[in-house]
Amino acid sequence: MFSLRTLITVLAVAALGSASSIGRSLNPAPEDIAHATPREHISARSMPATNARRFALGLPPLAPRRTRVRAPRAQPSAVAPTQTSCNIAVMSSNGTFGFINATWNGFGEYGLFQAEQAGSLEVTISSSGTTASELDLTATNSPDGTYPYFGALLGLASTSSDFGPASYAYLGGITQTPAGSPPLSTGDSSFTAATGTSAVIESAIWRYDPATQSISAQWINTDGSAPATHIVYVGDSNQALIITGSVESVQNVFGSPYPEVTFMCVPPL
Ligand SMILES: *[C@@H]1O[C@H](CO)[C@@H](O)[C@H](O)[C@H]1NC(C)=O
Ligand SMILES: *[C@@H]1O[C@H](CO)[C@@H](O)[C@H](O)[C@H]1NC(C)=O
């Protein structure tokens, strides 16, 4: 029989174990990934996203999703959409990091760089007018055409799906979500395939200014509002590009001076 002391020890160890697993890490822990079977891995953080899978596991169906998706806007009749192809150069106030490599890091995220423009990530932007917003960027040389959109996935350690302090999203390969849409739990992604962990996604998060060739990001919150959005390079072992509402807060939470970066469209060679 368990003595009270043994029970207390067991409880204390369990509490310690759960406390340490809550430790703030930008990406899933390696041991989580090692045990993950892509797309079938189940954990408290990644409950099955479809009712079919939930029923198979004896779980109740998901509550009906209440999302507010803006009605499609009337198309300006005179302006034909233009297609722009870009390689993406990444710079900070200190200079240029290089071009985004077309492949993903071990978490299925963009954030590897290369000096040569040739062979780097190439995206297509469809836009009409001048500075266009809520654009999709489609990767034409994605490592896996199942997730062709260069989009955002809410980060695991985010405190909310809304951008404010300590919320962030990885940039990876995702499926399409409607323009102006809040984060949706639809679709697989390069991140889910690599880590076995699901994350809500947004694809139409880009703004492109043909005059300056600048590409900037705009996350949409769950209430449809458009918070301040910054792109940050997480250049440690994560080798990842993320977007966040607060660069300072991400630097503080993860204890590293990750630089804010900007994206520039460079016409492919
Ligand atoms: C892109 O990244 C991959 C994976 O790290 C690497 O093998 C490849 O050499 C990189 N491409 C270039 C042109 O640097
Ligand atoms: C620029 O370089 C300095 C010196 O290496 C470094 O301390 C600083 O964090 C860098 N800033 C950015 C935005 O990369």
Side-chain angles (χ1 to χ4, degrees):
M1 240 181 108
F2 272 101
S3 70
L4 184 60
R5 176 168 302 191
T6 310
L7 183 62
I8 288 169
T9 308
V10 167
L11 289 177
V13 168
L16 266 180
S18 62
S20 62
S21 69
I22 294 169
R24 281 293 178 103
S25 155
L26 188 112
N27 266 308
E31 58 269 26
D32 287 349
I33 295 176
H35 294 241
T37 308
R39 292 177 230 188
E40 294 301 334
H41 175 69
I42 307 298
S43 76
R45 287 190 299 209
S46 67
M47 294 300 282
T50 64
N51 282 332
R53 278 171 62 194
R54 294 180 67 91
F55 291 145
L57 291 158
L59 291 166
L62 292 167
R65 194 180 293 133
R66 290 189 303 152
T67 52
R68 298 204 304 166
V69 178
R70 280 182 221 156
R73 284 189 224 122
Q75 290 288 328
S77 51
V79 186
T82 53
Q83 289 250 328
T84 309
S85 290
C86 311
N87 295 122
I88 302 178
V90 181
M91 31 218 130
S92 76
S93 50
N94 280 356
T96 305
F97 283 103
F99 290 91
I100 302 177
N101 187 299
T103 60
W104 296 310
N105 67 17
F107 303 104
E109 300 151 358
Y110 289 104
L112 302 171
F113 295 133
Q114 60 185 68
E116 312 79 37
Q117 181 180 354
S120 69
L121 174 68
E122 185 175 327
V123 295
T124 305
I125 309 171
S126 274
S127 62
S128 46
T130 50
T131 303
S133 59
E134 295 181 355
L135 302 172
D136 284 320
L137 262 54
T138 313
T140 56
N141 54 356
S142 167
D144 184 342
T146 320
Y147 331 108
Y149 291 88
F150 178 68
L153 304 112
L154 189 70
L156 272 191
S158 293
T159 51
S160 159
S161 301
D162 296 328
F163 270 14
S167 289
Y168 64 98
Y170 317 110
L171 295 181
I174 64 170
T175 51
Q176 191 177 30
T177 63
S181 164
L184 298 180
S185 57
T186 55
D188 267 332
S189 69
S190 54
F191 174 77
T192 307
T195 66
T197 305
S198 59
V200 292
I201 58 169
E202 288 186 16
S203 69
I205 56 163
W206 301 108
R207 222 187 273 129
Y208 172 59
D209 182 350
T212 62
Q213 314 259 75
S214 145
I215 297 172
S216 51
Q218 178 61 69
W219 181 256
I220 301 295
N221 281 342
T222 50
D223 67 355
S225 61
T229 305
H230 307 270
I231 310 173
V232 170
Y233 173 51
V234 181
D236 49 21
S237 60
N238 291 284
Q239 289 282 299
L241 286 161
I242 62 169
I243 58 173
T244 180
S246 167
V247 179
E248 200 180 12
S249 140
V250 158
Q251 291 172 339
N252 290 339
V253 167
F254 300 111
S256 203
Y258 301 136
E260 176 164 16
V261 296
T262 52
F263 286 176
M264 197 66 72
C265 171
V266 180
L269 299 166

